[in-house]
Structures are given as structure tokens and as C-alpha cells.
Amino acid sequence: MAEDILYLDFSSNSEINEEFNYDKIYKVGLREQFKKLGFHEDYDSFVSHVLPQDESIVGISYPNFERHPPTEDGKNKWFNIAVRIPLDGSKNNLVLMCDLDEYTPKNKTIKQRSLKVKGFTLIDKSTETCGEIEVSCRIFARLDFNDGWYSEYDGPTKFPSDDQWNKSVLTIEFLKRLNEQYVAEPHAKVLSRLDRWQKYLDSRQEIMIKDQEICFESAEGTEVIIAYYKDGCTEEERKTAVAHLNVKGNSSIWSTEDLSGSEKAPILHFTHDFLKKDPESDKSYRKKFERFTSGRSLIFSGKIEYKTIERKDGSKLKSSTECR
């Protein structure tokens, strides 16, 4: 029987509380994920009776590239730690995606470190691994917080002893070793490329923020229209044209119907608070739009500008000039 213990906690994510779930990837609870794995056992039996083992060789890796070294203060917050567990009689290994949980009970100095499981997947046993540390250990699993921890031969233990917590695989020394391993090599080259991408994204975000400060208002909102473009249309087909959308030339049309010989494409329609002549006379207007679409894909259909005319008798008359 192995001495070290790996604590796997399923109690937090068996069901997902959408109100408090901040994970960007795992939006479905473990029970729902487990159904897709195709195991004969049900979720509860697998976690409480199949997964706990007195001796198993597991592989632990840390896919994150943004990381920080572990500390002794009991405040380590590590996300996305992968645990590979071999399955007897299967051509696949089980991979659990977890977050590190660290807790120090009152009046104690011992750190209770476990892995909160949030994701399941299967990989072929022939798949090569990189940046993984293999560990021979016992596996304790917790299905529900009130039930406690299951091991292979013992019943659930709600409060493992200090001696058992001291045997946790997740020591500071182990976390330091894990922090030096990367799942892609050469990792320095990967980090450099990620850094370049981050700088690019930061620059784009800065542009977006500046544009928001001087943006044009859209009083009527936006909509996506599935339209059909045809070059050369009949008068009958012209009756199906998308409202307020003018195309240069009398023979072309953007239609709301799938006309014979037409080409399907989505159109983003939004209102604007400037006149059609403005982007035509001032290139800075058009450049603002060309940041997210090519010039040939941009069609200004104009808007209706309302004006108030004062009569000689002092009364006022509202008129409108339609710009196309």
C-alpha cells in the first residue's frame, strides 16, 4: 500500500450553480459530464467506490503558462491542474481537471491541500505526455461534503487525521517541482509567443476603449439580417429588397429571399448619428468602421435628418431630408 495520499474533492462541482460559477470553460456539472463518458457505473458509485484506490500510479501536470511559485502561507490559488488516472480494463486513461484547494483549520498549523475536481475527459493510453510527474499514491475521494472522504477499503472518513493530511501528495516541495514542468516544450518559445499575442490583444483593447469614448450612438440598436445578393434582378425581385439598403447600380439587389442565382451572406444593420456624406468627405470616419470590416463590405445607407423651419409668421414647421 502506498504511503502518500491524493485527495480528490467532487463535492463542489457535482452540480453547477450558475450564479456562483466563474469558470470560463466548465459550465456543466460533473454528473452531466460523467454521463457522456459511457461508464457502466453511475456517478456516485464511481466516485465513492471505483476511484478510491490503495495504490495507483497517477500523472499530475500543470497546463497553465501563467503561474507563480507556491508559498508557505496557505494562500496558494492554482487553477487547472490535470490528474491522469489509469483505468483497469480500458484502452483509455481518465483525466480530471482540478483546482488546488488549501485550508488551515482553526487552532492548527497543518495545511489541508486537496484538488477540487471540475472536469472529466478520456485520453488514449498510448498518448504521450509532457511535463507530467508520476506519483505512486492512495486516492481519497469526497462525493459530498457531509459524507467525508472515501478510500478503497475504509468507510467514509469525515475528518482525516493530521497524520493522513501530512501524507498528502500536494506538499510545497511537490508543488515547486510541478511549477517547473510545462506541457509544451520548449516552453520559453511558447511563453514568448503568448507574450506577443497578449501585447497585441492589449493594444486592440486600448483602441476599443478609446473608440468607446468617442463612439457614435445607436438609438435603434442593431440586428443581424440573413440576406441574398444578386447581380441582375427583375422588377418583381426588387420588391424583396432589404429595407433601407441601397446598392450602387440598378441591376444589383440585397434580398430577404433566396433568389435564383443569389449568394447568401449575413448583414449587420445598425443606425448611426451622422450623415452619409460625413464618411465620404472625412476619411477618419470610415477608418473607424474599417477596423472591424473591410471597406468593400461597408455600405452607408444614410439616415433621415430632421430639421425645424421657422415661418415668417413665427410658427415652426418640422421637415425632413432623407439621405441615401
Side-chain angles (χ1 to χ4, degrees):
M1 182 175 68
E3 290 294 326
D4 293 336
I5 303 173
L6 179 63
Y7 293 89
L8 299 175
D9 188 357
F10 294 78
S11 64
S12 298
N13 298 310
S14 289
E15 310 290 345
I16 288 294
N17 186 329
E18 296 183 0
E19 183 179 355
F20 300 102
N21 179 39
Y22 301 104
D23 196 276
K24 297 179 180 179
I25 299 176
Y26 296 100
K27 301 296 185 183
V28 179
L30 292 170
R31 289 185 187 277
E32 289 299 316
Q33 294 182 47
F34 185 80
K35 292 178 182 178
K36 299 179 181 179
L37 299 182
F39 290 157
H40 298 297
E41 301 85 2
D42 60 59
Y43 173 75
D44 289 21
S45 297
F46 182 82
V47 173
S48 59
H49 299 296
V50 177
L51 200 57
Q53 301 174 32
D54 263 3
E55 187 160 1
S56 180
I57 298 178
V58 304
I60 303 177
S61 57
Y62 189 28
N64 280 14
F65 283 94
E66 293 184 4
R67 50 178 69 179
H68 52 270
T71 60
E72 298 276 2
D73 60 6
K75 298 180 181 180
N76 294 297
K77 296 292 183 183
W78 285 17
F79 302 98
N80 305 319
I81 297 176
V83 179
R84 179 182 56 82
I85 302 175
L87 299 174
D88 294 336
S90 173
K91 65 177 182 179
N92 296 317
N93 287 327
L94 176 68
V95 176
L96 307 177
M97 192 59 68
C98 316
D99 295 336
L100 176 64
D101 184 57
E102 191 170 88
Y103 171 68
T104 305
K106 289 183 177 180
N107 304 320
K108 290 192 176 183
T109 58
I110 187 171
K111 306 294 190 298
Q112 297 181 2
R113 297 189 186 94
S114 61
L115 294 178
K116 284 191 174 182
V117 182
K118 60 182 179 180
F120 282 115
T121 191
L122 295 173
I123 62 169
D124 193 281
K125 286 184 177 179
S126 62
T127 303
E128 293 186 9
T129 60
C130 179
E132 185 181 82
I133 300 177
E134 285 195 342
V135 179
S136 176
C137 62
R138 302 173 68 189
I139 296 178
F140 281 22
R142 182 162 68 179
L143 177 63
D144 184 87
F145 182 81
N146 293 322
D147 287 345
W149 299 91
Y150 289 87
S151 59
E152 184 171 2
Y153 297 113
D154 302 326
T157 302
K158 190 168 185 179
F159 301 106
S161 65
D162 289 353
D163 182 59
Q164 287 176 317
W165 281 114
N166 273 325
K167 293 178 179 178
S168 171
V169 169
L170 306 171
T171 62
I172 290 296
E173 290 72 22
F174 176 83
L175 294 177
K176 287 179 179 178
R177 287 176 56 206
L178 188 63
N179 197 50
E180 295 172 352
Q181 303 296 319
Y182 289 87
V183 296
E185 293 291 352
H187 69 272
K189 186 175 182 180
V190 177
L191 290 171
S192 176
R193 180 166 295 183
L194 289 174
D195 182 61
R196 292 200 301 272
W197 268 108
Q198 189 60 54
K199 289 179 180 178
Y200 169 77
L201 294 174
D202 290 343
S203 66
R204 302 306 299 176
Q205 184 178 26
E206 186 176 349
I207 291 174
M208 291 172 63
I209 292 173
K210 289 182 178 178
D211 284 351
Q212 287 175 354
E213 294 174 352
I214 57 171
C215 67
F216 301 108
E217 293 183 357
S218 177
E220 299 176 17
T222 61
E223 63 176 335
V224 176
I225 303 171
I226 301 300
Y228 301 86
Y229 177 78
K230 183 176 181 181
D231 189 8
C233 62
T234 65
E235 287 299 320
E236 191 67 23
E237 290 175 333
R238 188 169 294 282
K239 296 178 182 179
T240 67
V242 176
H244 309 303
L245 180 58
N246 296 327
V247 181
K248 290 182 179 180
N250 296 324
S251 62
S252 300
I253 184 178
W254 280 100
S255 172
T256 57
E257 298 181 8
D258 188 0
L259 304 176
S260 176
S262 63
E263 188 175 339
K264 182 179 179 181
I267 294 178
L268 177 64
H269 169 240
F270 57 93
T271 58
H272 51 77
D273 64 349
F274 55 87
L275 302 179
K276 182 180 178 182
K277 66 179 182 180
D278 292 335
E280 294 176 347
S281 59
D282 189 342
K283 292 182 178 180
S284 64
Y285 279 92
R286 182 172 288 273
K287 284 183 178 180
K288 288 180 172 61
F289 285 97
E290 289 180 351
R291 285 174 179 159
F292 62 88
T293 184
S294 60
R296 61 185 178 82
S297 301
L298 190 60
I299 303 173
F300 289 100
S301 295
K303 62 172 288 186
I304 297 177
E305 180 190 24
Y306 292 98
K307 295 181 179 180
T308 301
I309 300 175
E310 187 172 343
R311 291 173 174 174
K312 292 182 179 179
D313 60 1
S315 62
K316 294 184 178 180
L317 173 68
K318 178 179 286 189
S319 65
S320 64
T321 302
E322 187 171 359
C323 300
R324 293 291 185 181

